[in-house]
Amino acid sequence: MHDTTLLQMMTDDMVPARRLLELLQAESVVLHGRDMLEMEHVLAQKHALVILLEQHGRKRSQVLSSIGLPANREGLRLLAHQSDVGDQLLAAGDELSALIAECQSLNEQNGSLIQLQQVNTAHQLRILNGGDTPTLYDARGSTAGRAKPRPLSQA
């Protein structure tokens, strides 16, 4: 009974995991376009799916723990060896794990893109505020004094 329950839980989680992968791909496109309204929409959906998948992951771990098996791939393998649906159970576990790993990888890429954009934005603001003025030479060949920071309205 635990094996079929676990198989059904993993099969059910394939849909939100695929949807999360789609949202992460959409997030990447939105980040490149810097569409903040769309980003808010994507982030809200992404957050809900992550919470759902975390809750379901805990439930799957509890099922394995309740029958005295470790809550990992080895526990799943041990259960599969005792089950009529063992092959399906392992295949579903591997597929779900691959989807989650792909989501994590894409999420890390999106995080790196966000950090890069933050650095670029901070650099642009320093330029606009006059805090990142290069040292220039005047007509006599000596370095000109640093410009005073100016208000953003005068940049």
Side-chain angles (χ1 to χ4, degrees):
M1 177 173 138
H2 291 293
D3 54 349
T4 55
T5 301
L6 204 52
L7 178 60
Q8 187 60 49
M9 292 171 83
M10 285 189 286
T11 303
D12 291 346
D13 277 346
M14 298 291 179
V15 173
R18 284 188 187 103
R19 179 66 184 133
L20 180 60
L21 185 59
E22 291 170 3
L23 281 172
L24 288 165
Q25 292 165 342
E27 180 182 44
S28 179
V29 170
V30 170
L31 283 169
H32 286 296
R34 294 186 176 213
D35 182 354
M36 291 303 119
L37 291 176
E38 183 63 23
M39 178 60 78
E40 287 179 26
H41 179 69
V42 167
L43 288 176
Q45 291 180 49
K46 183 176 110 172
H47 183 70
L49 286 173
V50 167
I51 289 173
L52 178 72
L53 288 168
E54 283 178 348
Q55 290 171 345
H56 289 182
R58 280 193 296 276
K59 286 179 185 175
R60 287 191 308 274
S61 294
Q62 288 172 349
V63 168
L64 285 171
S65 296
S66 72
I67 55 177
L69 295 174
N72 57 21
R73 175 82 166 76
E74 181 62 21
L76 188 62
R77 188 187 63 75
L78 291 170
L79 180 62
H81 283 309
Q82 306 166 5
S83 171
D84 295 336
V85 293
D87 292 337
Q88 293 171 319
L89 196 58
L90 288 175
D94 290 343
E95 184 179 351
L96 186 57
S97 292
L99 274 171
I100 298 295
E102 195 173 348
C103 287
Q104 287 173 331
S105 174
L106 195 52
N107 192 51
E108 288 172 8
Q109 290 174 10
N110 288 348
S112 296
L113 184 58
I114 289 169
Q115 288 177 339
L116 180 63
Q117 288 179 354
Q118 287 174 335
V119 167
N120 287 339
T121 300
H123 179 68
Q124 290 167 351
L125 284 172
R126 276 195 309 274
I127 290 171
L128 286 174
N129 287 324
D132 202 21
T133 12
T135 303
L136 302 176
Y137 292 98
D138 60 15
R140 294 182 303 262
S142 59
T143 57
R146 293 286 250 176
K148 295 179 183 174
R150 58 184 183 246
L152 210 49
S153 62
Q154 295 176 3

